[in-house]
Amino acid sequence: SSDVCSSDLNGGFFDAHDLHRDKGNVLSSDYPYSAQQTTCKSGLKYNEKIVSWSYTAGGENPSVDEMKAAIYQYGTIAVGVAADQAMSNYTGGLFNGSGATELNHAVNLVGWTADGYWIMKNSWGPNWGENGGYMRIKFGGNAISAWANYIVYNTSPDPTPTPTPPEIGRASCRE
């Protein structure tokens, strides 16, 4: 029986958050993007479970400042975007948007630039976009920002703490 399906098979929306809370996430290295519909894999190792998820402040259409605040506080956020041929053909540089407005895909925002562009991580594989799957997309380009949400992962301390380095000997001063 199939265990997990890539969210990209259905456009990449957020309807799987509850699955990730119950079972956990599968590493992308264990289940890479294939750009085609395939049989769902089974027997995969599930990793980090989410504790909770929520839409950012602003709900359905958050402001740029509300999205920045969520990235700052929680890290990567997921958003809806109107993916189209122009986005599919993106190979690098600043993308100002093509005017598409029909939401049909979900992506991650990992940061922003001082000149008004989101740093977006897409799931279309390492050969798309810049630096292995990234895009710099203008704030609001291709309706990006709809349904912005964040995930909270288990924040318990690691049961095997990293040892602290040995104290470096202090030099003594002689008078």
Side-chain angles (χ1 to χ4, degrees):
S1 74
S2 57
D3 214 6
V4 65
C5 286
S6 169
S7 59
D8 293 307
L9 298 179
N10 294 312
F13 274 103
F14 327 113
D15 57 357
H17 282 332
D18 289 330
L19 171 70
H20 297 292
R21 183 184 355 236
D22 297 338
K23 286 189 130 182
N25 287 327
V26 174
L27 297 176
S28 59
S29 59
D30 292 338
Y31 200 171
Y33 179 75
S34 66
Q36 62 187 357
Q37 289 207 0
T38 61
T39 304
C40 295
K41 292 183 178 184
S42 62
L44 296 168
K45 179 183 176 200
Y46 289 87
N47 298 284
E48 294 289 329
K49 289 185 179 184
I50 69 170
V51 173
S52 65
W53 72 276
S54 181
Y55 291 108
T56 62
E60 193 174 325
N61 290 303
S63 70
V64 166
D65 286 340
E66 289 166 333
M67 291 168 55
K68 285 180 177 181
I71 292 169
Y72 185 77
Q73 184 171 359
Y74 300 104
T76 300
I77 64 172
V79 297
V81 68
D84 62 358
Q85 195 63 44
M87 184 178 275
S88 180
N89 293 335
Y90 174 79
T91 57
L94 301 176
F95 184 76
N96 291 312
S98 63
T101 58
E102 184 179 333
L103 297 174
N104 58 3
H105 189 50
V107 295
N108 291 322
L109 297 182
V110 300
W112 62 89
T113 66
D115 55 350
Y117 290 82
W118 295 115
I119 301 170
M120 183 193 95
K121 173 70 171 144
N122 203 345
S123 60
W124 290 343
N127 297 321
W128 177 86
E130 297 179 314
N131 301 318
Y134 289 87
M135 171 186 253
R136 290 174 288 156
I137 182 170
K138 188 170 186 68
F139 293 166
N142 282 45
I144 198 163
S145 77
W147 303 107
N149 65 92
Y150 60 89
I151 291 174
V152 177
Y153 286 94
N154 184 351
T155 56
S156 300
D158 185 346
T160 313
T162 306
T164 56
E167 186 176 331
I168 298 172
R170 293 181 288 177
S172 60
C173 296
R174 293 199 171 127
E175 293 182 28

